[in-house]
Amino acid sequence: MSAAPLLECRALTRRFGGLVALDALHLEVRPAEVVGLIGPNGAGKTTAFNVVTGIHPPTAGEVSFEGRSVVGLRPSAVLQRGIARTFQNIRLFRGMTALENALVGRHARLRTGPLGAILRSRRVVEEERAAVDFAMELLRFTGIERHALARADSLSYGDQRRAEIARALASEPRLLLLDEPAAGMNPREKGVLNELILAIRDRGVTVLLIEHDMRVVMGISDRVVVLDHGQKIAEGPPDAVRRDPRVLEAYLGSAHA
Amino acid sequence: MLTQQLVNGIVVGSVYALIALGYTLVYGILQLINFAHGEIYMMGAYVGIAVLGVLAAMGLTQQSLALSILLVFLVPMVYCAAYGVTLERVAYRPLRQAPRLSPLISAIGMSIFLQNYVQVAQGARDKAFPNLLSLGSFEVMGAHVSGLQVFILAAALAMMAGLQLFIHRTRLGRAMRATAQDRTMAALVGVDVNRVIAVTFAIGSVLAAVAGVMVGMYYGLVNHYIGFVAGIKAFTAAVLGGIGNVTGALVGGFLLALLESFWAGYVSAVYKDVFAFLVLVVVLIFRPEGILGGSTEVDRA
Amino acid sequence: MRSFASAPLLGLWFAFLALPFAGWRGALWTGLACAALVAAARTLGRVLRAEPVARRLAMAQEAIGESWEFMLRGTRDWRVAALVLLGLVAFPWVLDRYKTDVLVVAGIYVMLSLGLNVVVGFAGLLDLGYVAFYAVGAYSYALLSTWYGLSFWPGLLGGAALAAVFGILLGIPVLRLRGDYLAIVTLGFGEIIRIVLNNWDDVTRGPNGILGIGRPHLGDFRFSQPMHFFYLVLALCLITMFIVGRLNRSRIGRAWAAMREDESAAECMGVNLVHAKLLAFAFGASWAGLGGVVFAAKQTFVSPESFAFFESVIILCMVVLGGMGSVPGVVLGALILVALPEALRELTLFRPMILGGAMVLMMVMRPRGFLRERGLRLAEGALPPGVPREEGR
Ligand SMILES: Nc1ncnc2c1ncn2[C@@H]1O[C@H](COP(=O)(O)OP(=O)(O)OP(=O)(O)O)[C@@H](O)[C@H]1O
Ligand SMILES: [Mg+2]
């Protein structure tokens, strides 16, 4: 717990017009942790991911990863640094196979340029072969190997979520951002997902997890951070957070609004 | 010379602005560049000619000038509204969920189809737009201003005012704005999105029809090709003002026409059409949200 | 389409729409034709959708797809490939000069549409001014050849490079913006090139065009007959297909496809959009430039007329009808669109109209084209054996 933070957000703020989606957020994620990020709808969780990955520039504040700032980088450069993500509203490349999706995730770790692709030297073929092996290994790891050659949009909902995880892992990230991976899964699938996330951590990938399903978050997170109206209202081990009155109020309050 | 350029610019600007409004309205709601919009404008001019032909044959043009003028505008407006709505129904609605390239290709296909349909049906040669109004002319600060020019500007301003009233004062107008803000949300609160989209196309097409008839009156000649260039320029005007923004389309239309008029007067008449393109590229590089646009659309992840 | 009003009503509606343009009689015919077409399409649709027919149709479609793939896989066998090549090489000996010349034109279009396919089909960027790059290639060789006597082969490279530079310059302003803007900027650029060619008399000689462009030669051998150009174009087409196919089945092709499917997700997965877009754009443009140089050398004459907007539309149509993204599909599309007008000369007047209508129909009914792209974007043989085949669809 004393290790230097892997990801650190300081006073991170993001406005959309008059709306403050993130309000001076401080967030730390340390290596080899699973951190849960929760909060009512519209709390700013996804926005936090979007700012960290460079989709939206922050209005103010700082994001550093492994001690270096990632503010101002394009999303592709952020991925290159070692942060990969999945999307709340699944965004697989629908017309491509699961395998191809994972290979696109591997894109940043491959070197072949246009000339190499045309001449297809032995090195290029080797690289392709290794990439396919790696992607297949991830499809196996996430449990969708038998759908490797099926079009992404023909997969079941749960399998699509897993394909997104495989695609993100293909870039060998050190930090994985999961945006509601359990949404739309049945209880059995959620159980499998729990195992998967722990296995991801055991591979040495740190996980920051947005999730509404409390059993998933509370079951696997080492630490939970609660957002409401863009602000952090609580932070700590799952049990403590669960009993925090401010958290209860945020959830119940928003349920009444 | 200077005031003359100004006058010419204002007249052409009202045409650009009227067409640009159609681009902006549709873009605001569907995020689609309706490439066929320029053709609707061109067809408006042709319908105007057809109406004048019928009126002249019935001897109505001599009897009642006011009625003739009314019909010369009204019939093309009705027809173009029908064209616009049909266009949306046939070429765009089936593609609303398709990848974003599909409606664009469908739009360009429709544009080609309409343009060449008119060529086949009406011939490739220029058609004369019979002279209906001879309003004389006068001098203002050394510039030659014809009554027709005043009439065009007045008609354009009236249309724009009507549009503003429609958007801000009517239920449908409010529904339009709501749909432009967030289509799913609007549908959730009970807006009939299909109807709103159809109405948007109808309104844009009505404005284009007016522009088409005005241009026919102004230049006295029409061909099946005028929609193409006018379309590019009006789109540029819409981008210049801030696409999706109604006031922006007006500002952009007049501004582009004025700049173009000065460019043609003082720099190069041959490369007049090149100028609009340069404006487009410069705007896209330095201020893609346009003069009046807010932020550029941000992608919702 | 199903919720459409009934056929007679539709006929009436279109008769009304056509009235100002076609007159009474024309409107009547339009209405009748529309009603008949709609009724026929409906009945046909019902028959085709009926269970037994639909199943057989799906099977037939699958079978055609399979056999097509089988044929393609066949050409990878060198014996089959050699046989096909032999057949192609024999063409000019069987056909007369005129037909050979048509084939040369078709070949140039194949090159052009394969190039545009990279931009539109692979990368999903709509380029409506493609012919402008064709013009850049043709005129740059025309000028270099007539002024400095530059010969064909360096001209080929020069034309392609110059066109690529234009492609990149044009791509830069729209990089940050939605793809639609690219469409309109390229459309405008196409017009500008034409205007400049028409008016810059000192250099381009305006509408009169440039005469006396040098023909290619190889050592002492001069290309002069249609047959010679046939072989030149054939070679270039095969090279193009090879290159385009390999680009598609690589890391680059996957990045393009991802970008086409979901631009911002692709960027989050590490695809550098700037590189990917500019590469697609430059590649497409350079192929148009290449085609332009060949065209100029074949005609020995260029004028702005050859580079009208409608040319861009035709090439786009070849890509769209054949099947965006599919190399064999695009080749087929190009061949058909060159052959059809040759076969149906009476329809010349209606051709643009038909093409426009076909583009709309195609998008509405079969957005993936006649030949849907198949196969993995992977180097052949990179897939380990034992990967389970596609299940379901
Ligand atoms: N691109 C955007 N443009 C404008 N407003 C946005 C944008 N993205 C998010 N917002 C707003 O920011 C606020 C926070 O949204 P965000 O998606 O981060 O919430 P969330 O915590 O992920 O909620 P949920 O649990 O529903 O996914 C919301 O009010 C949302 O409407
Ligand atoms: Mg969210």
Side-chain angles (χ1 to χ4, degrees):
Chain A
M1 278 286 155
S2 59
L6 186 69
L7 177 78
E8 191 178 11
C9 302
R10 280 186 301 272
L12 199 59
T13 303
R14 169 71 207 196
R15 289 199 194 87
F16 292 107
L19 181 96
V20 187
L22 277 186
D23 192 357
L25 173 69
H26 284 270
L27 180 69
E28 274 185 18
V29 179
R30 285 180 285 270
E33 266 189 316
V34 174
V35 176
L37 184 60
I38 63 172
N41 288 104
K45 305 178 297 289
T46 299
T47 304
F49 277 16
N50 287 346
V51 172
V52 167
T53 53
I55 292 179
H56 297 326
T59 313
E62 188 41 58
V63 182
S64 59
F65 181 68
E66 296 179 329
R68 286 194 298 162
S69 171
V70 293
V71 172
L73 295 185
R74 303 179 129 270
S76 54
V78 174
L79 181 112
Q80 191 88 39
R81 285 277 190 89
I83 305 180
R85 72 173 291 177
T86 65
F87 296 91
Q88 179 173 354
N89 48 341
I90 302 173
R91 286 173 73 172
L92 286 169
F93 307 117
R94 303 163 54 88
M96 301 164 81
T97 62
L99 174 62
E100 284 170 312
N101 268 279
L103 285 171
V104 173
R106 190 102 190 109
H107 182 87
R109 304 283 170 246
L110 306 179
R111 292 278 71 86
T112 305
L115 211 60
I118 295 168
L119 299 179
R120 207 178 268 175
S121 64
R122 179 175 311 194
R123 189 195 66 77
V124 171
V125 176
E126 284 305 314
E127 186 182 87
E128 284 278 273
R129 207 167 272 157
V132 172
D133 286 344
F134 190 79
M136 285 306 297
E137 197 267 314
L138 284 173
L139 294 180
R140 202 170 308 132
F141 176 68
T142 51
I144 50 171
E145 187 194 15
R146 69 212 145 87
H147 302 300
L149 298 187
R151 266 172 67 114
D153 56 5
S154 72
L155 299 182
S156 75
Y157 210 71
D159 286 343
Q160 292 197 16
R161 293 238 176 250
R162 282 196 278 265
E164 271 216 337
I165 295 177
R167 180 177 72 175
L169 286 175
S171 65
E172 293 181 84
R174 283 178 296 289
L175 175 66
L176 177 64
L177 310 179
L178 297 175
D179 198 344
E180 303 198 16
M185 287 188 172
N186 61 36
R188 195 186 51 77
E189 286 179 315
K190 282 180 186 170
V192 178
L193 179 73
N194 272 359
E195 299 297 309
L196 178 61
I197 293 175
L198 292 177
I200 290 171
R201 185 197 54 193
D202 293 341
R203 283 170 81 105
V205 180
T206 307
V207 177
L208 179 59
L209 165 76
I210 296 178
E211 190 47 70
H212 277 302
D213 188 303
M214 285 304 149
R215 258 170 312 171
V216 175
V217 192
M218 298 298 175
I220 57 175
S221 303
D222 301 311
R223 213 149 50 81
V224 175
V225 174
V226 190
L227 282 190
D228 190 23
H229 296 299
Q231 290 174 326
K232 184 163 75 180
I233 57 168
E235 174 171 15
D239 284 330
V241 165
R242 204 184 337 230
R243 285 190 301 270
D244 193 315
R246 280 167 305 178
V247 177
L248 290 174
E249 195 200 303
Y251 271 91
L252 295 178
S254 77
H256 286 293
Chain B
M1 183 69 176
L2 184 85
T3 34
Q4 190 66 57
Q5 304 298 351
L6 206 67
V7 170
N8 295 347
I10 288 176
V11 173
V12 177
S14 42
V15 172
Y16 287 176
L18 283 181
I19 308 174
L21 281 170
Y23 278 111
T24 268
L25 290 173
V26 168
Y27 195 92
I29 286 190
L30 286 180
Q31 279 77 50
L32 166 78
I33 300 180
N34 176 13
F35 277 109
H37 189 58
E39 315 311 331
I40 302 269
Y41 145 86
M42 175 271 291
M43 290 167 86
Y46 271 88
V47 177
I49 295 180
V51 171
L52 276 177
V54 173
L55 289 181
M58 299 194 325
L60 212 71
T61 28
Q62 277 86 40
Q63 279 173 23
S64 166
L65 189 64
L67 183 65
S68 308
I69 290 186
L70 192 69
L71 286 178
V72 158
F73 278 97
L74 212 56
V75 176
M77 281 158 81
V78 170
Y79 256 103
C80 284
Y83 293 142
V85 170
T86 311
L87 168 73
E88 192 269 329
R89 187 68 186 79
V90 172
Y92 303 146
R93 193 179 301 178
L95 296 173
R96 230 174 266 162
Q97 308 302 330
R100 65 191 160 74
L101 203 57
S102 307
L104 275 181
I105 292 177
S106 179
I108 195 78
M110 212 60 204
S111 165
I112 310 277
F113 176 83
L114 292 175
Q115 187 178 320
N116 289 285
Y117 173 72
V118 173
Q119 184 191 349
V120 169
Q122 295 279 307
R125 238 170 292 147
D126 287 1
K127 283 217 121 183
F129 200 102
N131 193 357
L132 192 61
L133 279 173
S134 28
L135 290 173
S137 63
F138 51 92
E139 300 266 318
V140 182
M141 301 200 312
H144 187 81
V145 182
S146 72
L148 186 60
Q149 289 176 321
V150 176
F151 173 78
I152 288 178
L153 182 62
L157 290 179
M159 292 305 294
M160 294 166 193
L163 177 69
Q164 290 289 352
L165 279 183
F166 176 84
I167 292 181
H168 292 282
R169 291 289 157 76
T170 64
R171 273 181 63 87
L172 253 178
R174 262 190 308 252
M176 254 170 84
R177 280 187 298 157
T179 313
Q181 287 257 318
D182 188 336
R183 205 191 319 161
T184 5
M185 209 50 196
L188 280 180
V189 298
V191 173
D192 181 349
V193 171
N194 279 338
R195 177 144 160 261
V196 167
I197 291 175
V199 168
T200 307
F201 271 84
I203 292 176
S205 308
V206 164
L207 298 173
V210 173
V213 174
M214 290 192 330
V215 159
M217 288 179 147
Y218 191 50
Y219 293 113
L221 280 180
V222 167
N223 60 44
H224 66 279
Y225 208 63
I226 59 172
F228 181 71
V229 176
I232 296 187
K233 291 197 182 158
F235 178 79
T236 304
V239 171
L240 179 61
I243 194 145
N245 182 321
V246 171
T247 326
L250 302 183
V251 174
F254 283 109
L255 189 62
L256 179 68
L258 282 176
L259 291 175
E260 201 179 69
S261 163
F262 288 126
W263 169 275
Y266 296 109
V267 186
S268 159
V270 174
Y271 290 113
K272 176 165 156 259
D273 290 345
V274 175
F275 178 71
F277 176 77
L278 291 182
V279 170
L280 178 65
V281 168
V282 169
V283 172
L284 286 183
I285 294 179
F286 293 106
R287 200 174 160 80
E289 67 273 24
I291 301 174
L292 296 183
S295 59
T296 39
E297 59 219 87
V298 271
D299 187 49
R300 279 173 177 255
Chain C
M1 288 296 234
R2 237 160 292 140
S3 63
F4 249 11
S6 69
L9 269 181
L10 269 176
L12 212 60
W13 177 247
F14 280 99
F16 164 72
L17 292 184
L19 185 60
F21 291 92
W24 290 109
R25 203 172 305 185
L28 194 67
W29 283 117
T30 311
L32 287 177
C34 275
L37 270 177
V38 169
R42 287 256 169 82
T43 332
L44 192 68
R46 211 161 319 138
V47 171
L48 292 186
R49 238 171 290 139
E51 180 53 41
V53 184
R55 214 183 43 234
R56 251 167 247 165
L57 220 62
M59 271 160 58
Q61 193 181 348
E62 197 54 30
I64 291 174
E66 296 261 310
S67 48
W68 177 257
E69 272 197 4
F70 178 77
M71 265 159 51
L72 286 187
R73 238 177 295 133
T75 52
R76 268 188 217 121
D77 183 341
W78 68 267
R79 283 162 301 192
V80 181
L83 219 63
V84 171
L85 200 63
L86 212 67
L88 288 174
V89 167
F91 264 132
W93 300 90
V94 191
L95 302 174
D96 58 26
R97 276 176 65 108
Y98 176 75
K99 293 216 174 89
T100 309
D101 203 49
V102 171
L103 276 182
V104 173
V105 173
I108 293 179
Y109 276 114
V110 166
M111 279 173 66
L112 292 176
S113 50
L114 282 173
L116 183 62
N117 181 46
V118 167
V119 186
V120 179
F122 290 173
L125 304 165
L126 187 52
D127 180 348
L128 293 177
Y130 195 59
V131 77
F133 304 114
Y134 185 45
V136 167
Y139 267 84
S140 57
Y141 176 58
L143 293 176
L144 288 174
S145 160
T146 48
W147 286 355
Y148 304 113
L150 186 81
S151 67
F152 176 76
W153 305 105
L156 204 57
L157 288 184
L162 197 65
V165 169
F166 270 93
I168 290 175
L169 286 182
L170 206 58
I172 287 175
V174 286
L175 277 179
R176 292 182 295 146
L177 303 167
R178 281 171 54 107
D180 332 12
Y181 286 94
L182 182 69
I184 200 101
V185 167
T186 48
L187 182 72
F189 179 66
E191 273 307 282
I192 293 216
I193 287 285
R194 210 178 43 79
I195 294 173
V196 170
L197 292 182
N198 255 320
N199 291 299
W200 197 8
D201 291 340
D202 301 341
V203 175
T204 65
R205 304 217 206 115
N208 298 331
I210 298 173
L211 287 160
I213 301 165
R215 291 217 144 128
H217 43 83
L218 262 181
D220 285 338
F221 174 74
R222 254 175 62 83
F223 287 64
S224 52
Q225 301 292 315
M227 184 194 276
H228 304 154
F229 279 96
F230 175 83
Y231 290 126
L232 173 68
V233 168
L234 179 64
L236 286 174
C237 281
L238 291 176
I239 292 172
T240 310
M241 284 172 72
F242 176 80
I243 290 180
V244 167
R246 282 217 161 165
L247 276 177
N248 189 31
R249 288 162 173 268
S250 77
R251 169 176 179 265
I252 312 278
R254 292 192 294 266
W256 281 335
M259 187 168 82
R260 181 186 73 194
E261 300 259 342
D262 185 336
E263 202 170 289
S264 95
E267 184 162 36
C268 285
M269 293 296 107
V271 174
N272 186 326
L273 295 184
V274 174
H275 289 181
K277 284 186 186 176
L278 285 185
L279 182 64
F281 219 54
F283 184 87
S286 66
W287 240 258
L290 219 62
V293 175
V294 175
F295 175 76
K298 166 186 172 291
Q299 301 280 315
T300 67
F301 164 70
V302 290
S303 74
E305 239 173 70
S306 313
F307 308 104
F309 170 61
F310 192 60
E311 286 294 310
S312 295
V313 172
I314 293 181
I315 301 168
L316 180 63
C317 231
M318 293 169 173
V319 174
V320 169
L321 297 190
M324 274 186 280
S326 146
V327 171
V330 168
V331 173
L332 199 67
L335 293 179
I336 289 177
L337 281 195
V338 174
L340 267 191
E342 293 293 328
L344 304 171
R345 277 175 195 283
E346 314 82 64
L347 287 182
T348 314
L349 184 61
F350 296 95
R351 188 160 82 115
M353 216 172 106
I354 294 173
L355 285 189
M359 274 160 86
V360 178
L361 269 186
M362 204 69 190
M363 283 301 109
V364 173
M365 323 224 335
R366 246 195 116 83
R368 290 248 153 255
F370 281 122
L371 293 177
R372 161 169 84 82
E373 66 178 305
R374 281 161 170 266
L376 291 171
R377 288 175 200 81
L378 260 187
E380 292 82 2
L383 195 67
V387 175
R389 287 301 308 177
E390 185 172 353
E391 23 175 278
R393 280 193 296 146

